Short mmCIF file of all heavy atoms in Angstrom, two decimals:
data_model
loop_
_atom_site.label_atom_id
_atom_site.label_comp_id
_atom_site.label_asym_id
_atom_site.label_seq_id
_atom_site.Cartn_x
_atom_site.Cartn_y
_atom_site.Cartn_z
N LEU A 843 -6.47 -6.84 3.79
CA LEU A 843 -6.84 -8.05 3.03
C LEU A 843 -7.35 -9.07 3.97
O LEU A 843 -8.38 -9.74 3.75
CB LEU A 843 -5.62 -8.64 2.21
CG LEU A 843 -5.20 -7.76 1.02
CD1 LEU A 843 -3.90 -8.34 0.40
CD2 LEU A 843 -6.32 -7.73 0.00
N ARG A 844 -6.66 -9.31 5.10
CA ARG A 844 -7.09 -10.30 6.04
C ARG A 844 -8.45 -9.94 6.70
O ARG A 844 -9.32 -10.78 6.89
CB ARG A 844 -5.96 -10.45 7.20
CG ARG A 844 -6.33 -11.55 8.16
CD ARG A 844 -5.19 -11.73 9.16
NE ARG A 844 -3.89 -12.09 8.51
CZ ARG A 844 -3.56 -13.26 8.12
NH1 ARG A 844 -4.43 -14.26 8.30
NH2 ARG A 844 -2.41 -13.52 7.55
N GLU A 845 -8.55 -8.64 7.05
CA GLU A 845 -9.87 -8.20 7.65
C GLU A 845 -11.02 -8.40 6.66
O GLU A 845 -12.05 -8.87 7.05
CB GLU A 845 -9.74 -6.77 8.13
CG GLU A 845 -10.92 -6.30 8.86
CD GLU A 845 -10.74 -4.87 9.40
OE1 GLU A 845 -9.63 -4.30 9.31
OE2 GLU A 845 -11.75 -4.34 9.91
N GLY A 846 -10.81 -7.95 5.45
CA GLY A 846 -11.88 -8.08 4.43
C GLY A 846 -12.24 -9.51 4.13
O GLY A 846 -13.41 -9.82 3.90
N PHE A 847 -11.29 -10.42 4.15
CA PHE A 847 -11.55 -11.80 3.82
C PHE A 847 -12.54 -12.44 4.89
O PHE A 847 -13.29 -13.30 4.59
CB PHE A 847 -10.28 -12.54 3.94
CG PHE A 847 -10.41 -14.03 3.50
CD1 PHE A 847 -10.46 -14.35 2.16
CD2 PHE A 847 -10.48 -15.07 4.44
CE1 PHE A 847 -10.62 -15.72 1.83
CE2 PHE A 847 -10.56 -16.37 4.09
CZ PHE A 847 -10.72 -16.71 2.73
N GLU A 848 -12.53 -11.82 6.10
CA GLU A 848 -13.40 -12.40 7.17
C GLU A 848 -14.82 -11.84 7.15
O GLU A 848 -15.70 -12.23 7.81
CB GLU A 848 -12.80 -12.02 8.56
CG GLU A 848 -11.45 -12.71 8.79
CD GLU A 848 -11.52 -14.22 8.75
OE1 GLU A 848 -12.55 -14.79 9.15
OE2 GLU A 848 -10.59 -14.83 8.20
N LEU A 849 -15.09 -10.87 6.26
CA LEU A 849 -16.40 -10.32 6.04
C LEU A 849 -17.35 -11.23 5.33
O LEU A 849 -16.89 -12.06 4.57
CB LEU A 849 -16.36 -8.93 5.47
CG LEU A 849 -15.50 -7.89 6.31
CD1 LEU A 849 -15.45 -6.64 5.55
CD2 LEU A 849 -16.16 -7.67 7.61
N PRO A 850 -18.66 -11.10 5.57
CA PRO A 850 -19.56 -12.01 4.88
C PRO A 850 -19.81 -12.01 3.44
O PRO A 850 -20.22 -12.99 2.85
CB PRO A 850 -20.87 -11.78 5.73
CG PRO A 850 -20.77 -10.36 6.17
CD PRO A 850 -19.33 -10.11 6.37
N SER A 851 -19.60 -10.81 2.83
CA SER A 851 -19.88 -10.73 1.39
C SER A 851 -18.63 -10.36 0.57
O SER A 851 -17.70 -9.74 1.09
CB SER A 851 -20.97 -9.71 1.13
OG SER A 851 -20.45 -8.39 1.36
N ASP A 852 -18.64 -10.76 -0.71
CA ASP A 852 -17.55 -10.37 -1.55
C ASP A 852 -17.50 -8.87 -1.79
O ASP A 852 -16.47 -8.31 -1.96
CB ASP A 852 -17.64 -11.12 -2.89
CG ASP A 852 -17.11 -12.55 -2.76
OD1 ASP A 852 -16.60 -12.91 -1.65
OD2 ASP A 852 -17.21 -13.27 -3.76
N ALA A 853 -18.68 -8.29 -1.80
CA ALA A 853 -18.74 -6.76 -2.00
C ALA A 853 -18.04 -6.07 -0.87
O ALA A 853 -17.28 -5.11 -1.03
CB ALA A 853 -20.17 -6.27 -2.05
N ALA A 854 -18.22 -6.55 0.37
CA ALA A 854 -17.52 -6.03 1.56
C ALA A 854 -16.06 -6.23 1.47
O ALA A 854 -15.20 -5.38 1.74
CB ALA A 854 -18.11 -6.57 2.85
N PHE A 855 -15.68 -7.48 1.05
CA PHE A 855 -14.26 -7.83 0.92
C PHE A 855 -13.68 -6.88 -0.17
O PHE A 855 -12.47 -6.44 0.01
CB PHE A 855 -14.14 -9.28 0.50
CG PHE A 855 -12.76 -9.83 0.43
CD1 PHE A 855 -11.67 -9.20 0.95
CD2 PHE A 855 -12.52 -11.04 -0.24
CE1 PHE A 855 -10.34 -9.72 0.88
CE2 PHE A 855 -11.32 -11.59 -0.32
CZ PHE A 855 -10.18 -10.95 0.21
N ALA A 856 -14.37 -6.58 -1.25
CA ALA A 856 -13.82 -5.76 -2.30
C ALA A 856 -13.41 -4.44 -1.76
O ALA A 856 -12.45 -3.75 -2.13
CB ALA A 856 -14.82 -5.57 -3.43
N ASN A 857 -14.24 -3.89 -0.82
CA ASN A 857 -13.96 -2.58 -0.21
C ASN A 857 -12.58 -2.57 0.49
O ASN A 857 -11.83 -1.65 0.36
CB ASN A 857 -15.04 -2.15 0.77
CG ASN A 857 -16.29 -1.73 -0.01
OD1 ASN A 857 -16.28 -1.39 -1.20
ND2 ASN A 857 -17.42 -1.89 0.70
N PHE A 858 -12.32 -3.61 1.16
CA PHE A 858 -11.05 -3.74 1.94
C PHE A 858 -9.88 -3.99 0.99
O PHE A 858 -8.73 -3.50 1.24
CB PHE A 858 -11.15 -4.81 3.04
CG PHE A 858 -11.87 -4.42 4.32
CD1 PHE A 858 -13.24 -4.24 4.41
CD2 PHE A 858 -11.04 -3.90 5.36
CE1 PHE A 858 -13.82 -3.76 5.47
CE2 PHE A 858 -11.69 -3.37 6.49
CZ PHE A 858 -13.03 -3.36 6.49
N VAL A 859 -10.08 -4.66 -0.11
CA VAL A 859 -9.04 -4.82 -1.10
C VAL A 859 -8.78 -3.42 -1.69
O VAL A 859 -7.63 -3.09 -1.86
CB VAL A 859 -9.37 -5.86 -2.21
CG1 VAL A 859 -8.38 -5.90 -3.28
CG2 VAL A 859 -9.69 -7.19 -1.60
N ALA A 860 -9.77 -2.63 -1.84
CA ALA A 860 -9.56 -1.24 -2.36
C ALA A 860 -8.79 -0.44 -1.30
O ALA A 860 -7.88 0.35 -1.74
CB ALA A 860 -10.94 -0.59 -2.65
N TYR A 861 -9.06 -0.57 -0.04
CA TYR A 861 -8.25 0.14 0.97
C TYR A 861 -6.79 -0.31 0.85
O TYR A 861 -5.90 0.44 0.95
CB TYR A 861 -8.80 -0.19 2.34
CG TYR A 861 -10.22 0.20 2.61
CD1 TYR A 861 -11.01 -0.48 3.52
CD2 TYR A 861 -10.82 1.29 1.97
CE1 TYR A 861 -12.31 -0.14 3.74
CE2 TYR A 861 -12.12 1.66 2.27
CZ TYR A 861 -12.83 0.97 3.16
OH TYR A 861 -14.19 1.27 3.35
N SER A 862 -6.60 -1.58 0.72
CA SER A 862 -5.21 -2.14 0.65
C SER A 862 -4.49 -1.52 -0.61
O SER A 862 -3.35 -1.16 -0.54
CB SER A 862 -5.28 -3.73 0.40
OG SER A 862 -5.64 -4.29 1.61
N LYS A 863 -5.26 -1.39 -1.72
CA LYS A 863 -4.66 -0.89 -2.90
C LYS A 863 -4.33 0.59 -2.71
O LYS A 863 -3.25 1.02 -3.15
CB LYS A 863 -5.70 -0.96 -4.08
CG LYS A 863 -5.15 -0.61 -5.40
CD LYS A 863 -6.21 -0.89 -6.48
CE LYS A 863 -5.64 -0.78 -7.85
NZ LYS A 863 -6.06 0.39 -8.61
N GLY A 864 -5.11 1.31 -1.92
CA GLY A 864 -4.78 2.66 -1.63
C GLY A 864 -3.47 2.78 -0.77
O GLY A 864 -2.70 3.65 -0.89
N SER A 865 -3.30 1.78 0.18
CA SER A 865 -2.16 1.77 0.99
C SER A 865 -0.91 1.45 0.17
O SER A 865 0.18 2.00 0.43
CB SER A 865 -2.27 0.71 2.12
OG SER A 865 -3.32 1.16 2.97
N VAL A 866 -1.05 0.67 -0.89
CA VAL A 866 0.15 0.45 -1.79
C VAL A 866 0.52 1.78 -2.41
O VAL A 866 1.72 2.10 -2.44
CB VAL A 866 -0.23 -0.60 -2.86
CG1 VAL A 866 0.85 -0.69 -3.89
CG2 VAL A 866 -0.52 -1.94 -2.27
N GLY A 867 -0.42 2.51 -2.83
CA GLY A 867 -0.11 3.86 -3.40
C GLY A 867 0.58 4.76 -2.40
O GLY A 867 1.48 5.52 -2.73
N GLU A 868 0.05 4.71 -1.15
CA GLU A 868 0.66 5.54 -0.10
C GLU A 868 2.11 5.15 0.16
O GLU A 868 3.01 6.02 0.24
CB GLU A 868 -0.13 5.48 1.20
CG GLU A 868 0.48 6.36 2.33
CD GLU A 868 -0.26 6.26 3.60
OE1 GLU A 868 -1.33 5.62 3.69
OE2 GLU A 868 0.24 6.91 4.58
N VAL A 869 2.45 3.84 0.21
CA VAL A 869 3.72 3.41 0.44
C VAL A 869 4.66 3.91 -0.65
O VAL A 869 5.74 4.47 -0.42
CB VAL A 869 3.86 1.84 0.54
CG1 VAL A 869 5.26 1.29 0.47
CG2 VAL A 869 3.21 1.38 1.82
N ILE A 870 4.21 3.77 -1.87
CA ILE A 870 5.09 4.25 -3.02
C ILE A 870 5.31 5.71 -2.99
O ILE A 870 6.41 6.18 -3.18
CB ILE A 870 4.46 3.84 -4.38
CG1 ILE A 870 4.49 2.30 -4.44
CG2 ILE A 870 5.10 4.45 -5.53
CD1 ILE A 870 5.97 1.66 -4.44
N MET A 871 4.27 6.51 -2.65
CA MET A 871 4.42 7.94 -2.56
C MET A 871 5.48 8.29 -1.48
O MET A 871 6.34 9.11 -1.64
CB MET A 871 3.08 8.62 -2.25
CG MET A 871 3.09 10.11 -2.26
SD MET A 871 3.55 10.92 -0.74
CE MET A 871 2.45 10.24 0.48
N ARG A 872 5.40 7.55 -0.36
CA ARG A 872 6.33 7.93 0.71
C ARG A 872 7.68 7.32 0.37
O ARG A 872 8.69 7.96 0.81
CB ARG A 872 5.79 7.33 2.03
CG ARG A 872 4.55 8.05 2.48
CD ARG A 872 4.06 7.73 3.86
NE ARG A 872 2.79 8.32 4.22
CZ ARG A 872 2.63 9.57 4.53
NH1 ARG A 872 3.69 10.40 4.54
NH2 ARG A 872 1.43 10.08 4.86
N LEU A 873 7.85 6.29 -0.36
CA LEU A 873 9.18 5.87 -0.77
C LEU A 873 9.79 6.85 -1.79
O LEU A 873 11.02 7.04 -1.68
CB LEU A 873 9.09 4.43 -1.42
CG LEU A 873 8.92 3.28 -0.44
CD1 LEU A 873 8.75 1.96 -1.24
CD2 LEU A 873 10.09 3.21 0.60
N HIS A 874 9.01 7.44 -2.64
CA HIS A 874 9.52 8.52 -3.55
C HIS A 874 10.02 9.66 -2.66
O HIS A 874 11.11 10.21 -2.99
CB HIS A 874 8.41 9.03 -4.43
CG HIS A 874 8.20 8.26 -5.66
ND1 HIS A 874 9.07 8.31 -6.76
CD2 HIS A 874 7.21 7.36 -6.05
CE1 HIS A 874 8.68 7.51 -7.76
NE2 HIS A 874 7.57 6.94 -7.30
N SER A 875 9.36 10.00 -1.65
CA SER A 875 9.81 11.07 -0.76
C SER A 875 11.13 10.74 -0.10
O SER A 875 12.06 11.51 -0.01
CB SER A 875 8.69 11.41 0.26
OG SER A 875 9.19 12.36 1.14
N ALA A 876 11.17 9.48 0.37
CA ALA A 876 12.46 8.99 1.05
C ALA A 876 13.58 8.94 -0.04
O ALA A 876 14.78 9.22 0.33
CB ALA A 876 12.16 7.66 1.63
N HIS A 877 13.25 8.59 -1.27
CA HIS A 877 14.26 8.56 -2.26
C HIS A 877 14.87 9.99 -2.56
O HIS A 877 15.99 10.18 -2.71
CB HIS A 877 13.59 8.03 -3.59
CG HIS A 877 14.51 8.05 -4.76
ND1 HIS A 877 14.43 9.05 -5.76
CD2 HIS A 877 15.57 7.26 -5.14
CE1 HIS A 877 15.25 8.81 -6.68
NE2 HIS A 877 16.01 7.76 -6.30
N GLN A 878 13.93 10.95 -2.55
CA GLN A 878 14.45 12.38 -2.74
C GLN A 878 15.33 12.79 -1.61
O GLN A 878 16.21 13.65 -1.83
CB GLN A 878 13.19 13.28 -2.84
CG GLN A 878 12.42 13.14 -4.09
CD GLN A 878 11.14 13.86 -4.14
OE1 GLN A 878 10.70 14.33 -3.11
NE2 GLN A 878 10.53 13.98 -5.28
N LYS A 879 15.20 12.21 -0.43
CA LYS A 879 16.12 12.54 0.71
C LYS A 879 17.33 11.57 0.73
O LYS A 879 18.03 11.55 1.66
CB LYS A 879 15.35 12.48 1.95
CG LYS A 879 14.28 13.54 2.06
CD LYS A 879 13.69 13.55 3.47
CE LYS A 879 12.67 14.68 3.58
NZ LYS A 879 13.18 15.99 3.49
N ARG A 880 17.48 10.77 -0.36
CA ARG A 880 18.59 9.81 -0.44
C ARG A 880 18.61 8.68 0.55
O ARG A 880 19.63 8.20 0.90
CB ARG A 880 19.93 10.56 -0.57
CG ARG A 880 20.00 11.59 -1.63
CD ARG A 880 21.36 12.02 -1.88
NE ARG A 880 21.45 13.24 -2.64
CZ ARG A 880 21.19 13.37 -3.94
NH1 ARG A 880 20.77 12.37 -4.60
NH2 ARG A 880 21.33 14.54 -4.57
N LEU A 881 17.39 8.35 1.04
CA LEU A 881 17.28 7.24 1.96
C LEU A 881 16.97 5.93 1.24
O LEU A 881 17.14 4.87 1.81
CB LEU A 881 16.15 7.48 2.99
CG LEU A 881 16.32 8.76 3.81
CD1 LEU A 881 15.08 9.00 4.61
CD2 LEU A 881 17.56 8.61 4.71
N VAL A 882 16.54 6.05 -0.05
CA VAL A 882 16.18 4.89 -0.89
C VAL A 882 16.92 5.00 -2.18
O VAL A 882 16.94 6.12 -2.73
CB VAL A 882 14.71 4.79 -1.08
CG1 VAL A 882 14.31 3.66 -2.01
CG2 VAL A 882 13.90 4.68 0.24
N THR A 883 17.58 3.99 -2.64
CA THR A 883 18.29 4.07 -3.92
C THR A 883 17.38 3.98 -5.08
O THR A 883 16.16 3.61 -4.93
CB THR A 883 19.33 2.87 -3.98
OG1 THR A 883 18.58 1.67 -4.18
CG2 THR A 883 20.22 2.75 -2.82
N ASP A 884 17.95 4.41 -6.22
CA ASP A 884 17.19 4.34 -7.50
C ASP A 884 16.63 2.92 -7.70
O ASP A 884 15.53 2.73 -8.11
CB ASP A 884 18.03 4.76 -8.71
CG ASP A 884 18.42 6.30 -8.60
OD1 ASP A 884 17.83 7.05 -7.87
OD2 ASP A 884 19.34 6.63 -9.37
N GLN A 885 17.55 2.00 -7.57
CA GLN A 885 17.22 0.55 -7.80
C GLN A 885 16.17 0.01 -6.86
O GLN A 885 15.18 -0.63 -7.33
CB GLN A 885 18.49 -0.24 -7.76
CG GLN A 885 18.20 -1.75 -8.06
CD GLN A 885 19.56 -2.57 -7.99
OE1 GLN A 885 20.63 -2.07 -7.61
NE2 GLN A 885 19.41 -3.83 -8.23
N GLU A 886 16.23 0.41 -5.62
CA GLU A 886 15.25 -0.02 -4.65
C GLU A 886 13.86 0.58 -4.97
O GLU A 886 12.85 -0.13 -4.96
CB GLU A 886 15.62 0.40 -3.26
CG GLU A 886 16.77 -0.39 -2.67
CD GLU A 886 17.33 0.20 -1.38
OE1 GLU A 886 17.24 1.46 -1.18
OE2 GLU A 886 17.84 -0.54 -0.57
N LEU A 887 13.89 1.81 -5.31
CA LEU A 887 12.61 2.46 -5.63
C LEU A 887 11.97 1.90 -6.94
O LEU A 887 10.82 1.58 -6.94
CB LEU A 887 12.87 3.98 -5.83
CG LEU A 887 11.58 4.79 -6.18
CD1 LEU A 887 10.53 4.68 -5.12
CD2 LEU A 887 11.97 6.23 -6.52
#
């Protein structure tokens, strides 16, 4: 988000927001995996 904000166009910024959105999905996928290993509680997940 910070890197994209510094770019000259909103279209370029949008690409970096999309990368950020993808990272949100990756975090959730990995938290699900950690939950299956009982490292994350139901409530936290």
Side-chain angles (χ1 to χ4, degrees):
L843 290 174
R844 185 173 301 278
E845 185 175 353
F847 186 81
E848 296 302 322
L849 296 176
S851 73
D852 280 356
F855 186 16
N857 290 334
F858 278 80
V859 178
Y861 301 148
S862 291
K863 190 173 188 254
S865 293
V866 171
E868 181 180 356
V869 168
I870 292 302
M871 185 274 306
R872 294 190 185 283
L873 285 177
H874 273 287
S875 176
H877 174 259
Q878 291 172 347
K879 294 189 179 293
R880 303 194 193 290
L881 301 173
V882 176
T883 68
D884 293 343
Q885 184 178 1
E886 290 168 331
L887 180 62

